[in-house]
Amino acid sequence: MTLNGEECESSHMLIEDNNKAVTELFLEPRCSQNLYLILNCPKDGKYTFDIEYSIGTETGLLVHVTADVCYPLLGITHISCSDLVPKQLLYKWSSVAEIDSRLRSTPLAEDLEDADYTKLDGIDVNLGSSTIGDDPFTVRFELINPGSTDVRFKFLFPADLRLELESWADANELSDSQIHILQVEDNRLFQVKPRSATLAPNERCVVRLNYAHHLVGTHSLPVILSIFGGRQLPLKLSGSTLSKKDIQIHLPSQNHVLKDVELNDIHPPIQDLELYNGSNKKINYSIDSAPLDDTKKENWDWPIFQLITPKGSIDPHSTGIVKVRFAPLEAKQYTVTLNLDIGHGLTQKLCIKGSGVDPRNSPKELSDLEARTSFLTNGRNIECSSALCRMNIDRLALGEVPLDAPVRRLVFISNQSDAPVFFNWSGLNECVSVVPCKGKIEGSAQRTVVVEFKAPSAGGSAVHNVDLHCEVTSESDQITYLANLHAWNMEKKRQKEEFTITDKHRKPKQVKLIDSQEESPSRPVTPYKTLPPISPRVIETRRRGMYSRGRPARKEHVWCKPLPPKADVLPLNVSARTFELSQYLERTGGNRNEFFISAPAEGKANKISEEKVSASKDEITLLKTITGNVLRTLVDDDAIQEQLFMTGEEKIPFYSQFENAIWPPQRSSLMTNLLSTLEEEGNSTVKDEKMFLPPPTPQNSVESNLSIAKSDEATPDEAKILEDVMSKLIASVMVSATVGDCVLTAEPRKIMVKPE
């Protein structure tokens, strides 16, 4: 027996007949009997068996058996969340890399047996932090079945594993952890939808983990992801809920691991530490740099860690960035613990770890977060049926990029509704730009935007993780909001300018205008209902105050200022690792042709002021009509097409006889190199060099030819124009391909079918 070409002695195969082992069989003349093979293999793989028969003294091969043994497996292909949490931070919270590696691995022996998984430490899946009463936080996992057999999985909660005992047998006192789990279950803080499912090979499904902010405190719940016949993965769902007055920077783990840096790196990259503020108040933080000075003294006054932004502020429900430069001296791990002061006397611990790598002994791929999350596809993201629009991707991993090299990617935004919508991009910085930044998408239509990443050389090498947000608003909601706002402003102006007569007995029916931005006093929220009063006199007293002469008391009319419609937010993460040009050439072996270096010329400003040309709608329409008719006529005219084909056979023109005119024109060295290359490749079509000569013009003078010969290489401005033209051409072709105007596939081969 062989397993993947290797001998395997620990497997066992049994031939049975009516549930009995068979080694000898007696058959009557002209009869048959069915035998069953049972295969018991220690691990998955491809097995091969040879079954031989023996009849008397004659032996031979009876049958050749091959079996592909595999356990049911699962994998994660995508992950997203409901809030604006950066992708890298979400990967760290959910431990998605560790979960995926365990789900795709072969189950252990204890997974196939009845083991107590409740006592094991599960993988921590953190669901963030927020204030009580906020919307639930949702994390969406897209699971796929990468195997060749059906997979059935189920999420087991503590209630599913708990045995219900009779009252006389349940005499033990509950521990604090058990009481906490019961409290979490009773309030349904954590929910998983769906709880169970069955996936066919290569089938996918989306699992949603919800965390509701009903109770103040830190909560956790052990859950087991059980695959029937496969892995039993213990998980620990956790999250925290703050009160209205609390402020806190959410740090699920105090250890922040930086990406590894090589020792010979002259320009170590700038890395980001992301701090999430889940409260409803703005937090101003400051980091004590005294431990960094101690680390510097211990390493011969060399700055191992440098805090570029030791102070900053974080808006509510957003993320703050702390920039750190890590420059190791030795191939070891460095650790420093910092005090994070967030105001009001509150301090949190922040532990930063970084490892130096010897380039002579380091692996080709560094064990950074980008490598660990490379299994997440950049393809179509998880769709949400209630959203107005969707994007084809939500993560752009650009990899290693040299400085001053623009990298462009196309992103398609599709309108899922029948009504027009407006979109507007936010989160842009000096490295990332989007064209167009805002616009309108018609109903059930699609819009293409170009995302460009270019890190200037002035910033130095760094690790970039930029989170962009595309805010989408319905046109109808926007029109309704503007109409209501205009009416509210007109009423406010009328009350301010109109003269009214005040009377104590008859007050004017005036609407009270309230600016919604100002916080109005409100009653405290309580989870319990108010009990009715015990004394009946209290009820009579309240009724007397509520009614006057049998009529209800007059209520004051209040008109709040309209709020803008809540926009749907589509996130897009752009990650890249930038290098100096010399470093990039050393790492990639001189493969420079993949990028276009667009560095500003010396003595020129980075930004070139361009004078915009304005035109009216009628002028634009007229220009488009005339240009389109001219181009269409030139393309469809047969005479012009014939003239274009005959230009190669054109005779010497008359103006070549003028004074100072050179005929034939001088050929540049660039054209000579092209001809030599084509001749070396054996191109039979290149027989005459005259076919590559440029068309004759009256400007073929000595001075112009000499200038062309001296300037064979294109200037930076010409290269920039050429690169822009090519990028726009490719973008136009891709847009046409998505719409269906052109097909970017090879022409199918014609296969001649043999006649019957």
Side-chain angles (χ1 to χ4, degrees):
M1 183 188 61
T2 60
L3 168 63
N4 295 329
E6 299 179 0
E7 296 293 333
C8 184
E9 300 178 355
S10 57
S11 298
H12 179 64
M13 185 177 64
L14 184 64
I15 303 178
E16 288 192 358
D17 178 22
N18 297 329
N19 297 329
K20 295 181 181 179
V22 175
T23 55
E24 296 182 0
L25 183 65
F26 179 76
L27 294 178
E28 296 290 340
R30 297 181 180 180
C31 67
S32 62
Q33 191 171 358
N34 295 329
L35 299 178
Y36 300 93
L37 302 180
I38 297 178
L39 181 63
N40 184 14
C41 299
K43 56 182 179 179
D44 55 347
K46 294 184 179 180
Y47 291 81
T48 302
F49 298 92
D50 291 333
I51 301 177
E52 299 179 351
Y53 69 92
S54 175
I55 303 177
T57 59
E58 182 181 358
T59 60
L61 178 63
L62 179 62
V63 65
H64 180 75
V65 181
T66 59
D68 189 2
V69 180
C70 63
Y71 291 99
L73 304 175
L74 283 177
I76 300 177
T77 58
H78 208 88
I79 179 176
S80 64
C81 66
S82 57
D83 292 354
L84 297 179
V85 178
K87 284 289 184 183
Q88 304 297 327
L89 197 59
L90 182 61
Y91 298 156
K92 184 178 180 180
W93 286 3
S94 59
S95 305
V96 60
E98 186 177 359
I99 294 176
D100 180 79
S101 62
R102 292 197 186 184
L103 290 178
R104 294 178 183 267
S105 60
T106 304
L108 304 177
E110 54 267 20
D111 293 332
L112 304 177
E113 300 175 357
D114 294 336
D116 188 5
Y117 295 96
T118 58
K119 298 181 180 180
L120 300 178
D121 294 334
I123 303 175
D124 189 13
V125 180
N126 196 280
L127 300 180
S129 172
S130 188
T131 309
I132 185 171
D134 291 345
D135 295 335
F137 181 77
T138 303
V139 177
R140 296 178 287 264
F141 293 92
E142 186 181 46
L143 301 180
I144 187 175
N145 179 10
S148 57
T149 182
D150 293 348
V151 175
R152 289 190 305 152
F153 67 90
K154 184 178 181 180
F155 286 89
L156 301 177
F157 279 60
D160 301 329
L161 304 174
R162 192 179 299 120
L163 296 177
E164 304 219 355
L165 301 177
E166 298 293 338
S167 58
W168 59 270
D170 192 4
N172 295 330
E173 294 183 359
L174 298 178
S175 61
D176 295 339
S177 61
Q178 292 175 340
I179 295 175
H180 176 75
I181 291 176
L182 291 176
Q183 184 184 21
V184 171
E185 287 183 328
D186 293 341
N187 292 274
R188 295 183 178 182
L189 300 183
F190 297 97
Q191 293 183 0
V192 180
K193 297 179 183 179
R195 292 279 294 271
S196 61
T198 302
L199 297 181
N202 295 327
E203 189 178 358
R204 308 184 182 210
C205 75
V206 179
V207 176
R208 293 172 173 83
L209 306 182
N210 295 335
Y211 173 51
H213 303 282
H214 295 332
L215 298 177
V216 177
T218 303
H219 311 101
S220 62
L221 183 69
V223 176
I224 298 177
L225 176 54
S226 175
I227 303 177
F228 293 90
R231 293 298 301 256
Q232 309 295 318
L233 189 62
L235 304 176
K236 181 183 178 182
L237 307 182
S238 61
S240 61
T241 303
L242 308 176
S243 64
K244 298 289 185 179
K245 300 180 180 180
D246 292 341
I247 58 173
Q248 182 186 9
I249 293 179
H250 187 58
L251 300 175
S253 176
Q254 294 184 356
N255 298 328
H256 289 257
V257 182
L258 301 176
K259 294 186 178 182
D260 299 342
V261 178
E262 296 181 356
L263 301 182
N264 62 349
D265 198 345
I266 303 177
H267 304 283
I270 299 175
Q271 305 189 36
D272 296 342
L273 299 180
E274 296 169 330
L275 307 178
Y276 184 74
N277 176 18
S279 61
N280 290 335
K281 297 182 180 180
K282 186 176 182 179
I283 296 179
N284 297 319
Y285 68 90
S286 61
I287 302 176
D288 185 12
S289 60
L292 299 180
D293 298 335
D294 298 338
T295 307
K296 182 178 180 180
K297 293 179 181 179
E298 295 174 359
N299 293 273
W300 301 279
D301 288 339
W302 179 261
I304 302 295
F305 297 98
Q306 293 182 4
L307 277 179
I308 300 177
T309 56
K311 297 181 180 181
S313 60
I314 309 176
D315 295 330
H317 302 286
S318 60
T319 307
I321 303 298
V322 178
K323 295 186 177 296
V324 181
R325 189 189 297 274
F326 173 55
L329 280 179
E330 302 177 63
K332 66 176 185 179
Q333 187 181 58
Y334 295 87
T335 305
V336 61
T337 303
L338 305 176
N339 293 326
L340 184 63
D341 184 13
I342 60 177
H344 302 286
L346 300 177
T347 304
Q348 295 180 249
K349 297 293 184 180
L350 182 65
C351 183
I352 303 176
K353 294 184 178 181
S355 300
V357 178
D358 190 350
R360 297 170 297 181
N361 302 326
S362 63
K364 295 182 180 180
E365 295 183 359
L366 301 179
S367 59
D368 53 6
L369 183 60
E370 194 65 35
R372 294 198 303 268
T373 57
S374 59
F375 62 91
L376 295 173
T377 59
N378 288 345
R380 195 171 185 175
N381 56 359
I382 301 174
E383 297 183 4
C384 184
S385 58
S386 60
L388 294 174
C389 297
R390 62 176 177 84
M391 287 194 302
N392 60 332
I393 56 176
D394 61 354
R395 177 173 176 264
L396 291 176
L398 304 179
E400 298 179 351
V401 179
L403 294 174
D404 291 322
V407 181
R408 299 181 180 91
R409 295 292 185 269
L410 294 179
V411 177
F412 301 95
I413 307 176
S414 302
N415 187 0
Q416 299 184 133
S417 63
D418 297 332
V421 296
F422 296 100
F423 69 92
N424 183 19
W425 286 89
S426 60
L428 305 176
N429 55 16
E430 60 177 1
C431 297
V432 181
S433 61
V434 179
V435 178
C437 186
K438 58 179 66 176
K440 179 181 177 181
I441 308 177
E442 298 295 335
S444 303
Q446 183 174 288
R447 189 69 180 270
T448 305
V449 297
V450 180
V451 181
E452 180 178 346
F453 173 83
K454 179 184 176 182
S457 57
S461 59
V463 179
H464 297 270
N465 284 305
V466 184
D467 290 279
L468 308 179
H469 308 108
C470 182
E471 300 177 355
V472 181
T473 310
S474 175
E475 184 184 29
S476 59
D477 296 343
Q478 193 73 15
I479 293 174
T480 304
Y481 161 70
L482 294 177
N484 295 336
L485 182 62
H486 178 71
W488 190 88
N489 290 329
M490 293 298 294
E491 177 65 19
K492 184 177 181 180
K493 182 180 179 181
R494 185 190 68 80
Q495 293 185 10
K496 183 178 180 181
E497 297 178 353
E498 195 174 73
F499 178 75
T500 57
I501 301 175
T502 58
D503 190 358
K504 296 182 179 180
H505 301 285
R506 292 185 178 181
K507 295 183 179 180
K509 296 181 180 179
Q510 194 83 327
V511 180
K512 184 179 180 180
L513 302 179
I514 297 179
D515 194 346
S516 59
Q517 297 179 357
E518 298 178 359
E519 296 183 359
S520 58
S522 59
R523 298 178 57 186
V525 179
T526 172
Y528 308 102
K529 295 182 179 180
T530 305
L531 295 176
I534 299 176
S535 176
R537 297 180 181 177
V538 179
I539 299 178
E540 295 178 359
T541 306
R542 290 185 178 180
R543 287 180 177 176
R544 290 173 185 173
M546 294 174 59
Y547 296 91
S548 176
R549 296 181 183 179
R551 295 181 180 179
R554 179 184 295 178
K555 295 183 180 179
E556 186 178 14
H557 295 281
V558 178
W559 189 1
C560 296
K561 184 178 181 180
L563 294 175
K566 188 176 181 180
D568 290 346
V569 180
L570 304 178
L572 178 64
N573 175 259
V574 181
S575 60
R577 169 75 161 91
T578 57
F579 294 92
E580 296 283 349
L581 183 57
S582 57
Q583 291 179 323
Y584 179 78
L585 295 178
E586 292 177 0
R587 295 177 63 90
T588 58
N591 190 8
R592 182 182 174 181
N593 297 329
E594 295 182 0
F595 296 95
F596 168 73
I597 307 300
S598 178
E602 297 181 0
K604 294 185 179 181
N606 295 332
K607 296 183 179 180
I608 301 175
S609 60
E610 298 180 357
E611 185 179 355
K612 297 183 179 180
V613 179
S614 60
S616 62
K617 293 184 179 180
D618 297 337
E619 293 176 350
I620 294 175
T621 304
L622 181 62
L623 180 61
K624 288 182 179 180
T625 304
I626 295 176
T627 307
N629 293 335
V630 170
L631 294 178
R632 195 178 300 107
T633 304
L634 292 177
V635 172
D636 297 339
D637 193 356
D638 297 337
I640 293 180
Q641 294 182 4
E642 293 179 0
Q643 291 295 329
L644 292 176
F645 284 111
M646 294 174 59
T647 53
E649 301 177 358
E650 186 178 0
K651 299 180 180 179
I652 299 177
F654 172 75
Y655 47 78
S656 63
Q657 305 175 11
F658 292 165
E659 187 178 0
N660 297 331
I662 298 178
W663 185 261
Q666 295 181 358
R667 185 176 65 244
S668 62
S669 60
L670 181 62
M671 187 64 67
T672 306
N673 296 334
L674 177 61
L675 289 173
S676 60
T677 303
L678 293 176
E679 290 177 358
E680 291 176 359
E681 293 178 356
N683 194 346
S684 59
T685 59
V686 184
K687 296 181 179 180
D688 192 3
E689 297 181 359
K690 295 182 180 179
M691 61 181 298
F692 288 95
L693 295 177
T697 59
Q699 288 80 15
N700 274 332
S701 59
V702 179
E703 291 80 4
S704 61
N705 284 279
L706 291 177
S707 61
I708 293 175
K710 292 180 181 179
S711 59
D712 290 336
E713 297 182 358
T715 61
D717 295 337
E718 295 174 351
K720 181 66 170 58
I721 294 174
L722 179 60
E723 202 270 342
D724 291 341
V725 170
M726 294 300 297
S727 62
K728 292 180 180 179
L729 178 62
I730 295 174
S732 301
V733 173
M734 293 297 295
V735 172
S736 301
T738 56
V739 176
D741 294 342
C742 65
V743 181
L744 298 179
T745 55
E747 185 178 351
R749 295 179 297 176
K750 296 181 180 180
I751 302 176
M752 301 299 295
V753 182
K754 185 178 180 181
E756 298 180 357

